[in-house]
Amino acid sequence: MAARQPQFSPKEVAAAMEVSESSVKRWCDNGTIPVIKTAGGHRRITLDALQAFVHANDRCLLKPELLGLPQLSPDRTTRIEGNEDPLNQNFRDSLAQGDEAACRKLMAQKIASGNTRSEAAESLITDAMHGFGEAWDCNELDVYQERRGCDIAMRLIYELRSEIPSPPKSAPIAIGGAPEGDPYQLPTMLVELALREVGWNATSLGNDLPMESFVQAAHDYDPQMVWMSVSSVSEPGMFVAAQNQLADSLGEDVPLLIGGRALCDKLRPRLRYTAHCDSLRHLVELAALMRLNRQK
């Protein structure tokens, strides 16, 4: 026996569409929305009838939750915008669909075309996550899809990292992460991957890290370089004070490299650091040069 479909009153549909109840009743009465009648003669609209009406008339349910329905249509097709390269588009689509195997295959293709692991990861993952953010803002992507995409991306980065041989004991040590209040974990993971490719014994400390933890880690690791990936700053004044305190604690012998989209022109002059890297490639080039200088 088929499951009974949900049925809605014109008043409920009107609230979900944010139109007048009289408009919904008119659509019902002229046949634009098929209805069934209760024993008492009241109009009832089935879910199939409502969805057919919405699709045929280019309308939408602005508040589907009032009907107990999801915000996004289960049969939607979402195209994540970004880099026009077909490989990037396929990666974004696969990530949005949760197809981890396809993402892994596309990453391997990017590397096989001549990119380093970190270049391939930055090109595909950074592009995809920017597109995810825009799709989410436009209500074209659900939160779970964004979270799932992040998890897949992190697993891919971990796999790429595991393919790099362990650094020798003589390799210079680098540590870094994202400061307190910054929820983004992928950027600092990409930095760790990139630095390991150019011979650093790099360790990402994670995201949302208090400055006190940066200071403690610097004492524990005794690094030859510290990086800070800053994608989000909620309290600029507090961040500047804490970051400057970290820079002072490192002294002049430990370079502090900073980067990230949150470091705007107004914020950056207030910070103390050795170098600002406006891209992952810039950081890699600088880190490679620093390593060569240490070997002389």
Side-chain angles (χ1 to χ4, degrees):
M1 181 181 297
R4 183 177 181 272
Q5 277 208 20
Q7 298 177 5
F8 312 108
S9 69
K11 183 177 181 179
E12 292 171 326
V13 171
M17 296 183 65
E18 292 193 344
V19 298
S20 67
E21 184 179 355
S22 60
S23 294
V24 177
K25 288 181 177 179
R26 184 174 68 253
W27 294 331
C28 293
D29 292 341
N30 66 22
T32 304
I33 302 179
V35 297
I36 58 177
K37 293 290 186 70
T38 67
H42 299 291
R43 308 173 187 85
R44 289 295 180 267
I45 302 167
T46 66
L47 178 58
D48 280 351
L50 178 59
Q51 289 179 331
F53 167 77
V54 166
H55 293 155
N57 294 274
D58 196 25
R59 292 182 175 271
C60 62
L61 299 176
L62 298 176
K63 294 183 177 180
E65 67 276 8
L66 296 180
L67 303 179
L69 300 176
Q71 289 283 345
L72 305 177
S73 172
D75 60 353
R76 68 191 180 280
T77 56
T78 302
R79 180 179 175 84
I80 309 298
E81 298 299 328
N83 189 312
E84 295 182 357
D85 186 303
L87 198 152
N88 283 74
Q89 182 66 63
N90 290 337
F91 185 86
R92 292 194 301 271
D93 292 343
S94 298
L95 200 60
Q97 295 161 11
D99 191 341
E100 186 168 343
C103 290
R104 185 173 291 106
K105 184 177 180 180
L106 291 164
M107 183 71 72
Q109 290 179 17
K110 189 74 172 180
I111 295 171
S113 68
N115 292 271
T116 66
R117 293 177 178 85
S118 59
E119 287 171 345
E122 182 188 27
S123 172
L124 296 179
I125 292 175
T126 303
D127 170 60
M129 298 318 298
H130 284 168
F132 271 42
E134 293 179 5
W136 189 9
D137 289 340
C138 296
N139 201 32
E140 297 173 351
L141 201 71
D142 193 77
V143 174
Y144 87 85
Q145 291 176 292
E146 190 270 345
R147 298 291 189 271
R148 182 182 63 190
C150 284
D151 285 345
I152 292 173
M154 284 191 287
R155 285 194 290 273
L156 293 177
I157 295 173
Y158 279 129
E159 290 172 9
L160 294 175
R161 181 184 181 279
S162 70
E163 295 171 1
I164 301 173
S166 298
K169 291 183 179 180
S170 60
I173 297 172
I175 62 171
E180 189 170 15
D182 188 333
Y184 298 100
Q185 191 171 357
L186 291 173
T188 186
M189 292 176 64
L190 287 171
V191 173
E192 180 192 67
L193 175 65
L195 290 177
R196 282 184 168 258
E197 278 194 310
V198 293
W200 285 78
N201 184 0
T203 300
S204 172
L205 306 173
N207 65 306
D208 196 15
L209 198 67
M211 289 298 175
E212 298 81 11
S213 290
F214 275 98
V215 174
Q216 182 64 56
H219 283 282
D220 293 344
Y221 278 88
D222 191 21
Q224 283 73 58
M225 186 238 287
V226 174
W227 81 81
M228 183 176 292
S229 173
V230 189
S231 300
S232 176
V233 174
S234 55
E235 297 288 343
M238 294 177 60
F239 169 73
V240 169
Q243 193 275 343
N244 288 338
Q245 183 180 1
L246 170 63
D248 291 341
S249 73
L250 294 176
E252 297 181 358
D253 295 332
V254 181
L256 174 59
L257 275 56
I258 64 171
R261 66 188 183 195
L263 297 179
C264 61
D265 292 339
K266 289 185 178 180
L267 184 62
R268 208 164 55 244
R270 302 166 61 189
L271 305 175
R272 298 175 194 157
Y273 54 87
T274 306
H276 169 254
C277 302
D278 53 16
S279 68
L280 188 60
R281 176 173 293 183
H282 183 195
L283 182 144
V284 168
E285 292 173 350
L286 183 57
L289 182 61
M290 290 168 57
R291 183 171 179 271
L292 286 175
N293 289 336
R294 290 186 59 83
Q295 294 174 339
K296 291 181 180 179

